[in-house]
Amino acid sequence: MALARIDNVLRRISYVEQASNLLDRFLAIEQRLSALEQGQVVEAKPVPTSPGEAIPKPPRQTTVTPDASPIQQRLEQELIDKKFSEFRFVRVPADYYDQPLEWRMERLHAASIHHLCKSMIMENTRAHPSVDGWSNPLNSKYYVVIVQYTARLHAEKLKTFIHRLSQGQVGKQYYNMRLAPEDVSDELSGYSHNAVTPLGIKTPLPIILSHRIAELQPSFFFLGAGEVDLKVGMPSEEFIQQYKPFVADCTY
């Protein structure tokens, strides 16, 4: 008799748990529909599942977004061709750069403000006469350097790292890393200020990625994407695998 009562109680608990899971799913869907009706951009988050059930991973994008801009479509195709398991492009408002990092983080649905990153073209203003533009990645006149917005580029660390890349073939006096002039950056990258990205770059410059970005958890980080109001997110480990950057301690 006692065993029958226990069995009956366990069944009732199971029914309650199932009902609770269904309610969670309903509320998640309702929230997304409400946000879409208000014109908000909603991150595709997995709908809650039953205990022990695996959360389904969204399918890998295999075609470009039909109504996207030509630049976005070009970059999407590049990421598709490189077989990225996931990536996400986000349009941002015109006042994006006037807003604090916390606001930008929420707008992009980033994991933290440390996941917001920027690309810049750095120039060695004292490059040895033997340096031929960017033909030698180990001793290039120009590098695309990617750092977090929450970190500051350390020019001396960057200089030391690049000098070591060249295995000391020329003296350290031939290194002075500075932000490339805007016209030079525009010409080399094919992108304007606040839109520079290593994706689809006009000139195949070598890339240096801050080691802090490589260590991010979760690894999904955001960069500029060729247009001032366009950002793209992707897993850092896949970026490293596909774009082969040098990973360096180059920030404060």
Side-chain angles (χ1 to χ4, degrees):
M1 193 71 169
L3 289 175
R5 288 182 180 178
I6 292 172
D7 187 57
N8 187 41
V9 169
L10 290 175
R11 278 202 302 270
R12 290 184 181 182
I13 291 173
S14 176
Y15 294 152
V16 171
E17 287 180 344
Q18 291 177 28
S20 177
N21 289 327
L22 288 173
L23 179 60
D24 287 343
R25 290 186 179 203
F26 173 78
L27 291 175
I29 294 171
E30 186 179 46
Q31 288 174 358
R32 293 197 67 220
L33 288 174
S34 176
L36 288 170
E37 287 174 356
Q38 296 173 25
Q40 299 175 10
V41 175
V42 180
E43 181 183 10
K45 295 183 178 179
V47 175
T49 58
S50 300
E53 183 181 345
I55 296 175
K57 186 176 181 179
R60 184 171 68 85
Q61 184 171 336
T62 57
T63 58
V64 299
T65 305
D67 57 349
S69 69
I71 287 180
Q72 179 174 335
Q73 289 184 335
R74 179 164 60 86
L75 300 191
E76 283 184 347
Q77 189 61 59
E78 179 169 302
L79 296 175
I80 290 169
D81 292 343
K82 290 182 178 294
K83 294 182 169 49
F84 271 73
S85 65
E86 59 176 325
F87 57 83
R88 186 167 79 250
F89 284 83
V90 182
R91 285 281 169 191
V92 298
D95 64 347
Y96 177 83
Y97 286 104
D98 297 327
Q99 303 297 334
L101 292 179
E102 290 76 11
W103 184 94
R104 301 185 207 178
M105 174 194 73
E106 293 178 1
R107 188 66 181 77
L108 297 178
H109 296 283
S112 77
I113 58 175
H114 306 297
H115 287 72
L116 310 181
C117 306
K118 59 183 175 182
S119 306
M120 61 191 97
I121 294 182
M122 301 297 293
E123 176 183 0
N124 182 1
T125 61
R126 295 181 188 166
H128 190 273
S130 64
V131 175
D132 182 21
W134 51 86
S135 60
N136 179 9
L138 301 179
N139 193 16
S140 174
K141 184 176 177 66
Y142 302 98
Y143 287 89
V144 178
V145 179
I146 306 173
V147 299
Q148 299 159 297
Y149 274 98
T150 54
R152 285 192 300 138
L153 182 67
H154 195 305
E156 190 62 28
K157 282 185 178 180
L158 182 63
K159 167 185 171 179
T160 299
F161 177 79
I162 296 173
H163 178 249
R164 288 175 180 169
L165 277 183
S166 69
Q167 299 179 336
Q169 293 181 3
V170 296
K172 209 168 183 179
Q173 69 270 25
Y174 290 105
Y175 294 89
N176 184 54
M177 305 307 298
R178 292 291 181 267
L179 190 66
E182 191 168 327
D183 60 332
V184 174
S185 176
D186 292 355
E187 176 59 29
L188 290 174
S189 67
Y191 303 122
S192 63
H193 179 61
N194 283 337
V196 174
T197 180
L199 280 63
I201 194 168
K202 178 181 176 182
T203 308
L205 302 177
I207 304 168
I208 296 177
L209 180 76
S210 167
H211 76 296
R212 298 181 188 277
I213 299 173
E215 294 172 353
L216 285 171
Q217 291 297 330
S219 67
F220 202 88
F221 75 110
F222 285 87
L223 286 171
E227 299 177 59
V228 175
D229 64 344
L230 185 62
K231 309 300 168 190
V232 61
M234 69 198 79
S236 61
E237 68 273 13
E238 294 187 33
F239 176 82
I240 292 170
Q241 180 182 8
Q242 296 297 332
Y243 287 91
K244 305 294 189 295
F246 298 108
V247 178
D249 178 359
C250 58
T251 58
Y252 286 94

